């Protein structure tokens, strides 16, 4: 069996596509101008915020697309188009929660949907719920806890004050070796 891999080519004026944005030589000139305004000790985060502002690159909620911008800047540096200041620290590695949030394992649920009162799906939108969601993943997910990549939505399904389930959805990966 022959597997054909589709090859994507960029238009001649496009140097890179990152975060849904095409970067051209003009964009690189703007990035270089922004970087010249900053001293050699500027952080990559500060530069990415300034580049977002200069390029008008914002999320629908009005916040700058800082993470996508930093990734694009690193790719432009990797391709030899720009030179970024050295990173100030190593990237942090998120570790699973050390202290469990749940005192005891939840009791087994028996019965049907009709036996559950006040069934709700609640967004994980504060630190307490986030720690609880992480703890549930550590304890009950067959792969253990893994940090979700990119944009994400996390929910807790509850009945009265009892947590029934934890659900998480995250952005699709750009590259997965086994799939690609």
């Amino acid at each position: 069996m022959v597997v054909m891999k589709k090859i994507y080519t960029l238009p001649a004026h496009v140097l890179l596509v990152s975060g849904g944005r095409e970067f051209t030589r003009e964009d690189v000139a703007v990035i270089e101008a922004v970087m010249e305004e900053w001293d050699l000790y500027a952080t990559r985060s500060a530069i990415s915020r300034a580049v977002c502002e200069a390029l008008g690159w914002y999320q629908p909620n009005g916040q700058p697309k800082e993470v996508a911008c930093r990734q694009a800047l690193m790719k432009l540096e990797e391709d030899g188009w720009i030179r970024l200041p050295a990173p100030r620290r190593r990237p942090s590695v998120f570790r699973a929660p050390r202290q469990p949030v749940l005192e005891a394992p939840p009791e087994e649920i028996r019965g049907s949907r009709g036996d559950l009162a006040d069934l709700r799906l609640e967004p994980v939108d504060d630190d307490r719920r986030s720690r609880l969601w992480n703890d549930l993943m550590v304890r009950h997910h067959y792969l253990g806890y893994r940090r979700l990549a990119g944009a994400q939505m996390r929910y807790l399904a509850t009945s009265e004050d009892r947590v029934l389930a934890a659900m998480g959805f995250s952005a699709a990966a750009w590259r997965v070796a086994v799939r690609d």
Side-chain angles (χ1 to χ4, degrees), residues 37-130:
E37 290 179 23
W38 292 84
D39 61 19
L40 295 174
Y41 301 104
T43 64
R44 291 177 174 206
S45 295
I47 290 171
S48 70
R49 281 190 296 276
V51 167
C52 285
E53 186 176 323
L55 295 176
W57 198 16
Y58 297 98
Q59 301 174 48
N61 68 1
Q63 297 295 313
K65 291 187 93 171
E66 289 184 55
V67 174
C69 185
R70 270 194 302 281
Q71 290 171 345
L73 291 173
M74 288 188 291
K75 181 67 176 144
L76 286 168
E77 180 180 43
E78 183 181 307
D79 291 347
W81 291 104
I82 63 171
R83 179 91 173 120
L84 291 170
R88 292 215 174 161
R89 57 188 162 126
R90 291 186 355 222
S92 64
V93 175
F94 188 83
R95 301 203 191 319
R98 290 186 182 161
Q99 285 197 322
V101 175
L102 299 172
E103 305 293 318
E107 64 189 64
E108 186 176 332
I109 301 167
R110 293 187 177 269
S112 65
R113 159 58 184 106
D115 298 333
L116 300 173
D118 193 28
L119 188 61
R120 292 186 314 267
L121 191 60
E122 301 173 350
V124 174
D125 56 3
D126 61 26
D127 287 341
R128 184 187 65 78
R129 284 185 180 154
S130 182

